[in-house]
Amino acid sequence: MRQKQEDLRTEAEKQVYQVDWRRAWLASAIFLLMALGGRVAEAQFSGPALGITSEVNPPITITTDPAILFPGPRDVYLGVGDVFSIRIYGNADYTPLVRVGLDGTVQLPLIGSVLVDNLTVHQTQDLIAQKLKEAGMFRDPQVAIQITDSPNQIVTVIGELHGIVPVIGERRLFDVLAAVGSGAGGGGAAGNGGGATTVVVGGGGLPATASHIITINRYGVAEPIVIDLGTDPAKSALINIPIYPRDTIIIPRVGVVYLLGAFKTQGAIPLQQNSPITLMKVAALAGGPGYEGRFNDLRIIRTTGTTRQMVKVDISKVINGKVPDPVLQAEDIVLLPTNPMKAAIKNGGIATLLGIASILILAIQQ
């Protein structure tokens, strides 16, 4: 009798153990599926981090005012280091050659120190004539100035193309860009020595990484001049504006689009100058979306000024032509989230899929 009771107890323990083993396997399989198929926690991004005040994509206004673009003859400004000679009509004895000192003055015979810094040539001529007349040296002197040497009669080009071009009077924009692009101005294309350039309307040269929207800071003009070089030769005369000494031409780097997530290649893709870039083009350049991506949950994150917005796009519908192909802008971030189950299957291959299937089948059969 005792032996029979022990046998029954052993059999009951075996059945309990088998039930516990089945439950453990089933719970493990369910937990694994939940871990692989569950969505990761997401936080809604509503704006840039606190403390950011500078604009990422500041609004750009192209300058179109003809009075600013083509101001006509512009007088030359004198500055520190300029050397010029003075002549008085009808008097060959007064011919001083002077240099503007660090204090902006020149020392002239008969009248002493004269402040000429930031004065135009005509303003300086009138001032010297007035000083000579007030000193009683001449009744009505006709003063003429000729600049013989100047560190200020130059145009500075910075950014993706950089160099210094001497300019006396005025030159045209394309002439300056061509001079710098060829290395004639003492510079060249940034990062590539001036070798890899693209032809710009009008004959100038720009590196392939340079934007066609350039900024010109002009001495004596409060607001910068913004020029869109464009790609239409018919409009070249409208943008080949005069360039004057002390102008600074800023050529920024072309904008880029950033790819993150389940793309075969992640990174920054530069925008094209002559055509808009769309989501499909960017995806193609990145090798296409990966199998593990959540195609219906692609995000385009765009920053305008200090405001950041996120738009969700179903890239599978874009691929099939069911929805329009979005046009991307500079500094856009394209994020394709990863599906954890697909990623696990991709990383583990068929072995992972068979392992999950065998666990479920075994649990059901038991």
Side-chain angles (χ1 to χ4, degrees):
M1 180 64 67
R2 181 177 300 176
Q3 182 66 32
K4 186 176 181 179
Q5 291 178 351
E6 290 180 354
D7 292 342
L8 291 174
R9 186 182 300 111
T10 302
E11 185 65 24
E13 290 177 352
K14 289 182 179 180
Q15 292 179 0
V16 171
Y17 175 77
Q18 290 178 355
V19 171
D20 292 342
W21 179 84
R22 293 170 190 168
R23 290 177 178 176
W25 271 106
L26 183 59
S28 299
I30 294 174
F31 178 79
L32 179 61
L33 290 177
M34 291 177 63
L36 294 177
R39 294 174 61 90
V40 297
E42 297 179 355
Q44 181 65 35
F45 186 85
S46 59
L50 296 178
I52 294 180
T53 57
S54 61
E55 296 185 348
V56 177
N57 280 334
I60 297 177
T61 303
I62 304 299
T63 303
T64 57
D65 187 354
I68 298 177
L69 298 176
F70 300 92
R74 178 183 172 92
D75 206 349
V76 176
Y77 285 84
L78 296 177
V80 175
D82 285 347
V83 178
F84 59 89
S85 61
I86 302 175
R87 297 289 187 273
I88 297 180
Y89 180 76
N91 190 314
D93 296 330
Y94 194 86
T95 59
L97 181 67
V98 294
R99 180 186 297 271
V100 181
L102 296 178
D103 59 353
T105 64
V106 292
Q107 299 296 324
L108 296 178
L110 305 179
I111 55 178
S113 178
V114 179
L115 181 62
V116 298
D117 188 27
N118 290 329
L119 296 181
T120 66
V121 169
H122 286 87
Q123 290 173 340
T124 304
Q125 291 175 166
D126 295 340
L127 179 60
I128 294 176
Q130 179 185 353
K131 294 285 186 181
L132 291 172
K133 186 176 180 180
E134 292 175 352
M137 300 302 171
F138 296 89
R139 178 177 299 177
D140 187 18
Q142 303 297 314
V143 178
I145 289 177
Q146 181 178 4
I147 299 176
T148 59
D149 185 22
S150 174
N152 302 305
Q153 308 307 307
I154 58 173
V155 171
T156 303
V157 182
I158 60 176
E160 290 302 289
L161 199 68
H162 54 264
I164 296 176
V165 180
V167 173
I168 301 297
E170 75 173 55
R171 294 182 70 175
R172 292 286 173 167
L173 175 60
F174 293 153
D175 298 333
V176 174
L177 295 180
V180 179
S182 62
N192 54 22
T197 60
T198 56
V199 176
V200 178
V201 178
L206 286 181
T209 57
S211 172
H212 283 199
I213 297 180
I214 65 175
T215 302
I216 302 173
N217 293 328
R218 176 155 295 168
Y219 184 78
V221 178
E223 297 295 329
I225 302 172
V226 181
I227 301 295
D228 185 359
L229 297 178
T231 56
D232 186 0
K235 299 180 180 179
S236 60
L238 300 176
I239 57 179
N240 192 21
I241 66 174
I243 300 297
Y244 302 100
R246 297 194 184 188
D247 280 358
T248 299
I249 303 175
I250 304 172
I251 304 177
R253 180 179 289 270
V254 68
V256 297
V257 172
Y258 300 93
L259 295 184
L260 298 174
F263 289 99
K264 294 184 178 179
T265 302
Q266 301 184 40
I269 295 180
L271 299 179
Q272 300 294 325
Q273 295 287 341
N274 55 358
S275 65
I277 191 165
T278 64
L279 178 61
M280 290 297 295
K281 290 181 180 180
V282 168
L285 292 173
Y291 162 77
E292 70 277 15
R294 295 208 301 260
F295 287 9
N296 62 344
D297 196 23
L298 182 139
R299 298 101 181 271
I300 299 176
I301 304 172
R302 176 165 299 169
T303 303
T304 304
T306 57
T307 303
R308 178 164 289 184
Q309 298 176 339
M310 182 180 68
V311 178
K312 290 189 177 182
V313 178
D314 190 340
I315 191 173
S316 60
K317 292 184 178 180
V318 177
I319 294 174
N320 295 327
K322 296 181 179 179
V323 297
D325 191 6
V327 178
L328 302 178
Q329 298 179 5
E331 303 301 321
D332 278 356
I333 300 174
V334 180
L335 172 62
L336 181 60
T338 300
N339 185 302
M341 178 175 287
K342 289 183 178 180
I345 294 175
K346 179 180 179 180
N347 294 333
I350 190 65
T352 301
L353 183 60
L354 292 177
I356 296 174
S358 63
I359 292 174
L360 294 176
I361 293 172
L362 182 61
I364 294 173
Q365 288 178 352
Q366 297 296 333

